[in-house]
Amino acid sequence: MSDISIIKFAGQSKVTLEGYIGYFLITGSGDFKYDVIQYPLSFSSMINVSFKDDFKLIQLRIPQIKNRMVKSSPEIKEMNSDLEKFISKKINSDVSFKHRIKIAIQNADVEVIGSIIEDFFKEWVDSIKMSVDIQEMTFAEFSKQLSKVGNSEDAFKAIKRDDLKDLSEAYPIVDPIAGKSINDFRIGEKIYFTVLRFANDQVKAEMLKKFPDDFNAQGENLSPLVGRIISKEFVPEFGEDFTLIKIECQNFYFKAIVLNSMNLMTTSVGVPIIGSSQSTAPRQTRVKNDEEEVHLHLADIFIAVILVAGIVGTAMAIIYFFFIK
């Protein structure tokens, strides 16, 4: 199973004359996230998203659709609030649901997944027929897809300003469940990221030499790198929903336009797929520290033995000269 699996679904009930569209997102470790909207079929013209669309569009548009519908019909807010409570309760009570979903994903069995989703909603709505689509990806692939959100022409013009034009482009690794917003990251804090584009061929060659296990021969970033944030700023051209950051990684510098609403992976969480160039050095340091610690312990014991022997010897001498002799 990949780092992230997304089940996108859409359907409708002929009995209640209502439609549904949404997604279930599950990570390899079993973390779960979802979003879904229930709407009267008379509001179908407001649904400007399809379950076949890229996940990034579905994730962004479902909340927007909900807000538009609520303005037209306040009852939809309560209806969807009740639906969210049902889904949350169902996930927590049905311990086999995640397991069955993961097995079906591993088998790439779309029909079985469709049946599982229909069965999931059976207690909520009668006679619902769901169409589903599965999308699997690594954290790096997921992040690259989301990096394309909001990159308007104005944004591209802005990242060509003098202090940015010679920087490579990157995007932080997205963790949709356990991550935190870029707003919560501090200057100087470490962050996982993936390289989108190199500033030039020279930088590309130097990075491939520096991190041989993290890139393929074509220069595609295969596993996340770790850098530190050296600046954050609001740029009017990006809009209020985006933040421009600069990242430094072993004297290589990057720029990134980050969507504020995206949860980004923190370095307190281990990335499942990471190159040896990022992990070897810390491991060697840990081994070295452990060896030094063992040597220190042995030295301490040796010194302690000598001290004890000296004290005992002194005591024996005092007893011999003053009491025995």
Side-chain angles (χ1 to χ4, degrees):
M1 185 174 177
S2 298
D3 295 337
I4 296 174
S5 297
I6 301 163
I7 301 170
K8 300 175 288 183
F9 58 84
Q12 64 181 52
S13 170
K14 295 180 180 179
V15 176
T16 61
L17 298 179
E18 291 172 332
Y20 298 81
I21 189 164
Y23 65 85
F24 287 133
L25 183 152
I26 185 168
T27 66
S29 59
D31 293 326
F32 205 86
K33 184 178 181 178
Y34 66 88
D35 200 1
V36 58
I37 181 170
Q38 174 185 353
Y39 58 92
L41 293 180
S42 57
F43 281 62
S44 296
S45 60
M46 290 189 179
I47 304 297
N48 62 343
V49 64
S50 165
F51 81 96
K52 292 183 179 180
D53 289 337
D54 284 343
F55 172 70
K56 62 180 182 181
L57 293 177
I58 296 176
Q59 187 182 31
L60 284 173
R61 288 181 180 171
I62 285 180
Q64 297 171 353
I65 294 169
K66 284 181 184 178
N67 291 334
R68 287 200 302 269
M69 287 187 177
V70 168
K71 290 179 181 179
S72 301
S73 177
E75 294 82 6
I76 291 179
K77 181 177 182 179
E78 183 177 355
M79 180 172 64
N80 278 277
S81 177
D82 291 340
L83 174 59
E84 289 180 6
K85 292 176 183 176
F86 165 79
I87 294 175
S88 178
K89 183 178 179 180
K90 181 76 172 176
I91 290 172
N92 292 328
S93 62
D94 186 355
V95 293
S96 68
F97 174 69
K98 291 181 184 178
H99 178 70
R100 288 184 287 126
I101 282 289
K102 290 179 73 173
I103 295 297
I105 290 173
Q106 290 171 357
N107 295 330
D109 198 327
V110 178
E111 290 186 7
V112 170
I113 291 176
S115 298
I116 294 173
I117 300 299
E118 289 176 6
D119 183 64
F120 181 89
F121 285 100
K122 186 168 61 177
E123 297 177 20
W124 176 258
V125 61
D126 293 326
S127 303
I128 187 170
K129 180 64 178 176
M130 288 287 190
S131 298
V132 300
D133 183 61
I134 310 171
Q135 199 171 0
E136 294 188 84
M137 59 192 82
T138 64
F139 281 116
E141 291 169 340
F142 186 63
S143 303
K144 286 179 180 178
Q145 183 185 110
L146 293 176
S147 71
K148 300 174 185 176
V149 177
N151 283 352
S152 64
E153 291 185 8
D154 288 338
F156 279 120
K157 290 178 182 177
I159 61 176
K160 292 184 181 298
R161 72 189 193 193
D162 290 343
D163 64 318
L164 298 173
K165 63 182 181 181
D166 294 328
L167 303 185
S168 299
E169 288 186 51
Y171 200 81
I173 297 299
V174 175
D175 184 346
I177 299 174
K180 63 181 183 180
S181 167
I182 186 62
N183 295 326
D184 297 323
F185 278 83
R186 303 182 306 275
I187 302 296
E189 187 171 353
K190 291 182 179 179
I191 191 168
Y192 290 120
F193 70 95
T194 184
V195 179
L196 301 179
R197 279 173 289 275
F198 294 101
N200 51 56
D201 290 339
Q202 180 181 350
V203 172
K204 179 179 178 179
E206 291 175 356
M207 285 210 71
L208 266 61
K209 183 178 179 180
K210 183 79 171 180
F211 306 103
D213 298 319
D214 297 318
F215 295 88
N216 62 17
Q218 290 72 42
E220 296 175 341
N221 195 180
L222 301 178
S223 59
L225 301 173
V226 181
R228 64 184 183 91
I229 299 173
I230 57 175
S231 76
K232 288 170 55 178
E233 64 178 291
F234 166 74
V235 181
E237 290 88 342
F238 300 156
E240 297 179 356
D241 297 328
F242 296 89
T243 297
L244 170 66
I245 65 171
K246 295 179 184 177
I247 301 172
E248 182 270 333
C249 174
Q250 298 193 29
N251 294 322
F252 293 99
Y253 295 87
F254 304 86
K255 57 192 171 188
I257 306 170
V258 185
L259 190 61
N260 298 336
S261 60
M262 292 297 172
N263 288 342
L264 308 178
M265 184 174 286
T266 67
T267 52
S268 62
V269 178
V271 175
I273 303 174
I274 190 163
S276 60
S277 62
Q278 293 294 304
S279 57
T280 302
R283 185 171 65 249
Q284 290 175 339
T285 302
R286 285 195 297 272
V287 171
K288 184 178 179 181
N289 290 340
D290 290 343
E291 292 174 349
E292 290 174 352
E293 187 175 354
V294 170
H295 292 156
L296 287 173
H297 286 330
L298 291 175
D300 291 342
I301 293 171
F302 183 69
I303 292 171
V305 169
I306 293 175
L307 288 174
V308 170
I311 292 171
V312 171
T314 302
M316 294 281 293
I318 292 173
I319 292 172
Y320 175 79
F321 284 106
F322 286 95
F323 295 98
I324 297 178
K325 191 173 182 180

